[in-house]
Amino acid sequence: MTKCRVCSNYIKPFFSLGDIPLVNLFLTKEGLKKKEAEYDLTVGFCNKCYLVQLMKTISPKDLFENYIYFSSTSQTIIDHSRSNAEYFTRRFNLNKKNLVVEIASNDGVQLDFFQQLGIRILGIDPAKNIAALANKKSIKTLPEFFNLALAKKLNKKGLRADLIFGANVLAHVPKIVDFVKGVRTLLKINGTAIFEFPYIRGLLENKFDTIYHEHVFYYSLIALRNLFESVDLELYDVDLVDMQGGSLRIYVSHPNSFKISKNVTKLVKKELDLGFNKLSTYNVLNKNINILKKDLIKLLNDIKTKNKHVAVYSAPAKGNILMNYFGIDSKLVDFIVDRAKEKQGLYTPGTHMQVFPVEKIYQEEPDYLLILCWNIYKEVIEQLKEYQKNGGKFIIPIPKIRII
Ligand SMILES: [Zn+2]
């Protein structure tokens, strides 16, 4: 029995991937000899505050201190960060007197754009290796976990933020109530905290590969409103953004600082119409994902039977979830490539395939590329025009299987 991390009600499981290794922990050749640790991945629903969350979690210390995900390897993220910095600066009239704090600032790709606009910045990221890299690029970054204690420490130094930003962090923090209390403490009275994270609607559209150990929470707007209300903060606006396969961007302030936008009331109504407050809505995931799994395996087997070859493009966390849960490994696909140098030469978690540089596609010329970073497939196809010109085809597995 697991209790809701926000309201302490018992949560009910509705979809399980079983035991899966940590999908961001790539292995060395030496590491392949040891038995890999696997952890249960089951999601459940709280019928009191509507929050969807993992039944079991792993200590964030084990997950994030040696992270190998670098934001700035993706052009989509760079472009999105630039447009965010410009938009927020305009919307909130930010200038050199204002302070923007980013939580989970990674290698500083977002803060760099704010800094270029002349605004004061501070990054916070627990991955010591990545924080060091950001500092080297003059993006001031504290190598720490953000929580209430850290917010109080920053307050004592006289720091309060006009804008707090966090992309893909709200879903990652098991002690979320302490985290949002920290946000309230660090946020100026007229300040705004903005968070972006994958929207739970994606789960119901087959985007199940966002379920991994780092993602403790899968948010609907109705659940988030309850969360922020519980610490005396107010969610006053929301946008849908086209990141990570469909994300929400929410705007949070101290109560009554801003007018509540119609966007909020509209989306709340839509969620209630879609049944985001009911367990039965989430149960459909089991049937849908099993159909997807069967279809993709059949496609890969058919290709193999015709003596054609498939390689895998990129090994993001979500891709490793798909490969592990669907059982896709070297028996079905020839090899795997990834642009991130940090992953090349290492082996994928669970499926143990060596990661090669992208150039291998041009040496081996596989007939198909299975794109596991399906959320940025257009960017990938653009980069691989030459491969496509030579007759190469792309398989996009999610939200439905497509061959391009
Ligand atoms: Zn709850």
Side-chain angles (χ1 to χ4, degrees):
M1 295 286 265
T2 305
K3 280 185 175 177
C4 172
R5 292 166 185 88
V6 171
C7 78
S8 299
N9 182 35
Y10 284 108
I11 47 181
K12 294 200 168 70
F14 62 83
F15 179 64
S16 182
L17 299 171
D19 289 335
I20 302 261
L22 297 180
V23 287
N24 277 312
L25 200 66
F26 286 70
L27 308 168
T28 57
K29 198 165 190 185
E30 198 55 29
L32 290 178
K33 292 177 192 155
K34 278 185 267 166
K35 188 169 165 20
E36 220 173 338
E38 294 181 336
Y39 305 88
D40 176 70
L41 256 186
T42 302
V43 264
F45 173 74
C46 170
N47 61 15
K48 200 169 152 200
C49 75
Y50 314 135
L51 186 52
V52 170
Q53 51 201 292
L54 290 186
M55 298 300 286
K56 288 185 192 155
T57 56
I58 305 170
S59 135
K61 212 169 153 22
D62 293 340
L63 286 175
F64 298 116
E65 278 193 340
N66 279 298
Y67 215 41
I68 59 166
Y69 175 78
F70 294 95
S71 301
S72 58
T73 52
S74 160
Q75 188 59 39
T76 308
I77 288 180
I78 296 171
D79 295 343
H80 181 68
S81 302
R82 180 187 297 114
S83 113
N84 268 355
E86 287 166 3
Y87 174 55
F88 300 154
T89 301
R90 207 168 51 234
R91 175 163 172 171
F92 299 104
N93 283 319
L94 300 175
N95 58 48
K96 61 176 192 245
K97 286 182 202 138
N98 297 128
L99 174 68
V100 173
V101 175
E102 184 177 5
I103 304 172
S105 48
N106 202 275
D107 58 1
V109 58
Q110 176 68 73
L111 286 175
D112 196 10
F113 287 114
F114 280 110
Q115 193 156 259
Q116 285 172 33
L117 291 167
I119 297 151
R120 282 165 62 215
I121 54 147
L122 177 66
I124 299 168
D125 198 292
K128 292 190 173 64
N129 51 339
I130 297 179
L133 200 81
N135 280 311
K136 232 187 196 168
K137 294 191 286 181
S138 303
I139 313 290
K140 194 177 169 197
T141 305
L142 299 175
E144 308 243 25
F145 280 101
F146 181 78
N147 51 29
L148 180 57
L150 181 67
K152 284 181 174 164
K153 226 162 78 184
L154 294 173
N155 272 183
K156 274 198 187 131
K157 288 183 185 162
L159 288 175
R160 277 192 190 256
D162 298 276
L163 187 81
I164 295 175
F165 181 71
N168 298 309
V169 61
L170 217 50
H172 295 64
V173 185
K175 289 185 178 157
I176 191 65
V177 175
D178 182 75
F179 179 95
V180 290
K181 280 180 179 166
V183 169
R184 185 186 56 193
T185 302
L186 187 61
L187 190 65
K188 271 193 193 161
I189 194 71
N190 289 316
T192 290
I194 300 174
F195 294 100
E196 291 180 1
F197 46 87
Y199 188 24
I200 194 167
R201 201 171 63 194
L203 273 192
L204 305 172
E205 293 166 350
N206 280 352
K207 297 166 187 170
F208 79 99
D209 53 354
T210 52
I211 300 173
Y212 46 94
H213 300 99
E214 282 91 329
H215 290 165
V216 183
F217 301 108
Y218 304 82
Y219 290 109
S220 60
L221 198 65
I222 48 175
L224 278 166
R225 246 194 354 175
N226 290 333
L227 166 65
F228 286 107
E229 255 175 42
S230 78
V231 301
D232 202 25
L233 284 173
E234 194 165 68
L235 196 162
Y236 73 87
D237 202 0
V238 61
D239 301 323
L240 290 162
V241 283
D242 189 23
M243 287 295 287
Q244 305 288 341
S247 291
L248 281 191
R249 175 160 64 205
I250 56 163
Y251 300 76
V252 174
S253 67
H254 293 280
N256 307 316
S257 294
F258 293 87
K259 200 171 155 249
I260 309 275
S261 153
K262 275 199 188 109
N263 298 339
V264 174
T265 35
K266 266 193 217 156
L267 192 57
V268 165
K269 184 178 178 300
K270 194 169 170 193
E271 288 190 351
L272 294 174
D273 289 345
L274 290 168
F276 283 15
N277 55 340
K278 290 185 198 116
L279 179 62
S280 55
T281 307
Y282 300 102
N283 271 326
V284 298
L285 209 62
N286 288 291
K287 196 180 113 206
N288 294 351
I289 300 309
N290 279 317
I291 292 172
L292 188 72
K293 176 178 176 176
K294 248 199 237 156
D295 291 348
L296 186 62
I297 298 296
K298 185 176 179 304
L299 174 67
L300 295 176
N301 271 318
D302 288 352
I303 292 171
K304 209 178 155 99
T305 313
K306 288 179 193 150
N307 273 324
K308 303 252 181 191
H309 295 273
V310 184
V312 175
Y313 185 90
S314 94
K318 59 161 73 72
N320 286 323
I321 285 293
L322 186 140
M323 286 177 66
N324 275 285
Y325 185 55
F326 285 6
I328 296 172
D329 58 18
S330 53
K331 287 184 214 89
L332 280 172
V333 291
D334 287 25
F335 61 92
I336 183 162
V337 299
D338 197 289
R339 283 179 80 194
K341 287 208 167 55
E342 297 77 15
K343 291 179 186 173
Q344 293 166 6
L346 296 175
Y347 293 79
T348 53
T351 48
H352 299 178
M353 292 185 67
Q354 192 180 359
V355 180
F356 290 96
V358 175
E359 289 70 40
K360 194 170 170 76
I361 294 171
Y362 291 104
Q363 293 153 10
E364 306 274 333
E365 300 189 317
D367 304 282
Y368 296 88
L369 277 182
L370 174 62
I371 302 187
L372 294 185
C373 50
W374 51 265
N375 52 310
I376 53 165
Y377 79 88
K378 285 181 187 155
E379 177 183 333
V380 173
I381 293 176
E382 190 62 34
Q383 284 161 2
L384 296 174
K385 275 229 164 96
E386 195 64 30
Y387 164 77
Q388 195 180 30
K389 231 196 270 165
N390 296 340
K393 289 193 161 32
F394 302 95
I395 302 170
I396 324 286
I398 285 180
K400 59 175 196 255
I401 300 167
R402 277 171 297 168
I403 299 176
I404 293 177

